Amino acid sequence: MVPRATLPSLTGLLVFQPLKRRYCAGCRRGPLPLLALEDGAPRCLDCADLGHLVFLPSGDTALTRRSREESTLSAVVVRFNRRKSRYERQGVLVEEAALARAELRCLADAEARQRRRVRDARHRAAQDALFAQAFAAEILRLFPGCPAARARAIALHASERGSGRVGRSAAGRALTEGAVTSAVVASVRHLDTPYDRLLMNGVPRHEARRRIAAAVATVLRGWTEAGLGSTG
């Protein structure tokens, strides 16, 4: 009654948010917004003796953890993601009184947790600044003719936290020559060639890259040879 896929490795009871219209095998009520499985058959929460629980959506880790600690009975709610072919956690079902107690606990130390979040954010920002400096320094080592301000801008863009760009990859974090060069090439491609204009005019990406390859190579060669000339 639910998609055939590997269920998440979670301890305790599981409740499903069905993707299709499902009806309780016991009382025949439905369609069900949530269901439990008993011997492969769908059951509404009332028939599964879970009807007294309330739904707490995912999002607040502290509240979820404390609600489960306070609740004698709880269940994890999951939904199947067709695109990723896996079940994903949506929240938990807990006792209403347990949720209320957990909310009070969270309110009691909310200020301390906020201070900790601020400290953590500052620490991450300091780490990111140091890494961006190192990334910019490596750009200038490989391309000594690159303007310093441009190197800093490339480093900040490539290493932005949560961006998924090359600076956040394992190779980027290791400051490999390939990763640093990729960041520089991407910057040159977008800022020093008509690449973006070609894309806007409907030119396929691979063809657009072919057309501007010589221009990119010229800029990189200039930034590299400028450094060679200064040491000659």
Side-chain angles (χ1 to χ4, degrees), residues 193-217:
T193 76
Y195 178 69
D196 290 353
R197 189 162 60 251
L198 291 173
L199 294 181
M200 289 297 293
N201 289 334
V203 177
R205 181 171 60 88
H206 293 295
E207 173 61 18
R209 288 194 175 194
R210 187 192 66 78
R211 293 186 189 182
I212 56 93
V216 172

Side-chain angles (χ1 to χ4, degrees), residues 96-161:
E96 189 169 4
L99 176 57
R101 290 193 296 271
E103 288 172 336
L104 288 175
R105 288 174 59 188
C106 287
L107 285 174
D109 68 356
E111 185 177 347
R113 287 188 290 117
Q114 176 60 25
R115 288 198 299 269
R116 184 167 60 250
R117 283 194 292 269
V118 170
R119 288 196 304 271
D120 291 345
R122 288 174 178 169
H123 179 65
R124 288 193 298 270
Q127 287 182 319
D128 290 349
L130 289 174
F131 176 67
Q133 289 175 10
F135 202 100
E138 187 63 11
I139 290 174
L140 292 175
R141 187 186 72 81
L142 295 173
F143 304 97
C146 176
R150 180 70 176 275
R152 289 193 296 271
I154 294 172
L156 287 171
H157 181 76
S159 62
E160 182 180 355
R161 188 179 290 270

Side-chain angles (χ1 to χ4, degrees), residues 23-154:
Y23 294 82
C24 179
C27 66
R28 303 299 180 183
R29 282 188 298 175
L32 302 174
L34 296 172
L35 63 87
L37 288 179
E38 290 184 353
D39 299 323
R43 301 280 180 177
C44 68
L45 297 188
D46 285 335
C47 288
D49 293 330
L50 301 174
H52 64 295
L53 302 181
V54 294
F55 178 60
L56 173 62
S58 298
D60 190 325
T61 303
L63 182 58
T64 296
R65 185 186 72 252
R66 289 173 172 177
S67 294
R68 297 193 73 185
E69 290 172 354
E70 293 283 350
S71 191
T72 303
L73 180 65
S74 66
V76 175
V77 178
V78 297
R79 182 172 61 205
F80 188 69
N81 185 321
R82 286 197 179 100
R83 184 173 62 85
K84 298 180 180 179
S85 296
R86 70 186 185 197
Y87 285 95
E88 295 179 335
R89 185 170 178 155
Q90 304 300 309
V92 294
L93 292 173
V94 294
E95 296 163 345
E96 189 169 4
L99 176 57
R101 290 193 296 271
E103 288 172 336
L104 288 175
R105 288 174 59 188
C106 287
L107 285 174
D109 68 356
E111 185 177 347
R113 287 188 290 117
Q114 176 60 25
R115 288 198 299 269
R116 184 167 60 250
R117 283 194 292 269
V118 170
R119 288 196 304 271
D120 291 345
R122 288 174 178 169
H123 179 65
R124 288 193 298 270
Q127 287 182 319
D128 290 349
L130 289 174
F131 176 67
Q133 289 175 10
F135 202 100
E138 187 63 11
I139 290 174
L140 292 175
R141 187 186 72 81
L142 295 173
F143 304 97
C146 176
R150 180 70 176 275
R152 289 193 296 271
I154 294 172

